[in-house]
Amino acid sequence: MFTGKLKEVIVVEGKNDTAAVRRAVSADTLETGGDAVDETVLAAIEQAQAKRGVIIMTDPDGAGERIRRIISQRVEGCKHAFLTREEATGKDGIGVEHASPEAIRRALSEVRCETESEGNGEVTWIEYLDAGLAGGVRARRLREAMGRHLGIGYANARQFFRRIQMFRITRSEFRQALIQAEKEEQGGTTTHHRSNP
């Protein structure tokens, strides 16, 4: 799957995450040092993006999502790799450091690129609401399953819609992922990642 060293720099939260990434692939990393991302770190990420590109791979939890947003708002055109909560759960909690090399390689093989402007995606807010992705426990389960199939991770209702826009998920991709999520909900087969289009 991966041969040689990755061109992009992978942005992770800490040293243990770096170690996990390096067990999976040959890559350089930048560590944010936790969720208080300071100016020095942001400047380093900007420089890496300009020269080599960056892939953000933060923990699939609230703090990781906050870091992802801070970086995305500051540095345009980032790529994103998402681990599922299941892949990143260990006995000590949730984090990239707990993911297997296979899970990390899978996430890196399914990176999504940000677009420079959001809000003009194919999927509308009305379609999103009609799909049942906002409000209630069922909406959360659907977003979790769709996030796996689309390779964009889990987020709350508004952030998940923003990701659909930001990553330019097509109406066809959206519908296909929704069908798969609904099948899982009805007791169908669970798959933990999307197939590459």
Side-chain angles (χ1 to χ4, degrees), residues 17-30:
D17 299 336
T18 287
V21 166
R22 290 187 178 156
R23 283 193 295 271
V25 295
S26 177
D28 292 322
T29 60
L30 270 171

Side-chain angles (χ1 to χ4, degrees), residues 37-67:
V37 185
D38 67 25
E39 187 60 34
T40 306
V41 171
L42 287 169
I45 294 170
E46 278 182 319
Q47 186 173 21
Q49 171 67 354
K51 292 187 175 187
R52 296 174 53 185
V54 297
I55 299 172
I56 303 171
M57 181 182 271
T58 54
D59 298 347
D61 60 10
E65 290 309 309
R66 182 175 171 275
I67 294 167

Side-chain angles (χ1 to χ4, degrees), residues 33-174:
D35 64 351
V37 185
D38 67 25
E39 187 60 34
T40 306
V41 171
L42 287 169
I45 294 170
E46 278 182 319
Q47 186 173 21
Q49 171 67 354
K51 292 187 175 187
R52 296 174 53 185
V54 297
I55 299 172
I56 303 171
M57 181 182 271
T58 54
D59 298 347
D61 60 10
E65 290 309 309
R66 182 175 171 275
I67 294 167
R68 196 180 287 276
R69 276 195 309 274
I70 289 168
I71 296 168
S72 289
Q73 288 167 359
R74 170 71 177 265
V75 184
E76 285 189 11
C78 294
K79 294 180 181 176
H80 295 259
F82 295 93
L83 291 163
T84 66
R85 289 180 71 84
E86 294 84 9
E87 289 171 328
T89 298
K91 62 183 180 204
D92 300 325
I94 293 174
V96 171
E97 67 191 80
H98 301 298
S100 69
E102 296 77 21
I104 290 170
R105 286 191 290 268
R106 193 266 323 143
L108 290 170
S109 73
E110 298 179 357
V111 295
R112 288 282 187 168
C113 300
E114 281 184 38
T115 56
E116 290 188 15
S117 61
E118 57 181 88
N120 296 317
E122 287 185 24
V123 180
T124 67
W125 180 246
I126 298 299
E127 288 172 302
Y128 183 82
L129 292 177
D130 287 347
L133 295 170
V137 176
R138 179 175 187 265
R140 179 187 174 96
R141 286 194 308 263
L142 286 174
R143 289 194 310 273
E144 285 174 353
M146 287 184 71
R148 284 194 309 272
H149 292 293
L150 293 169
I152 62 173
Y154 171 77
N156 69 34
R158 290 207 177 270
Q159 285 298 321
F160 196 73
F161 180 71
R162 181 180 173 272
R163 284 186 189 172
I164 286 170
Q165 299 293 306
M166 181 171 67
F167 296 128
R168 291 292 189 260
I169 302 299
T170 65
R171 189 168 279 123
S172 172
E173 286 178 295
F174 178 81

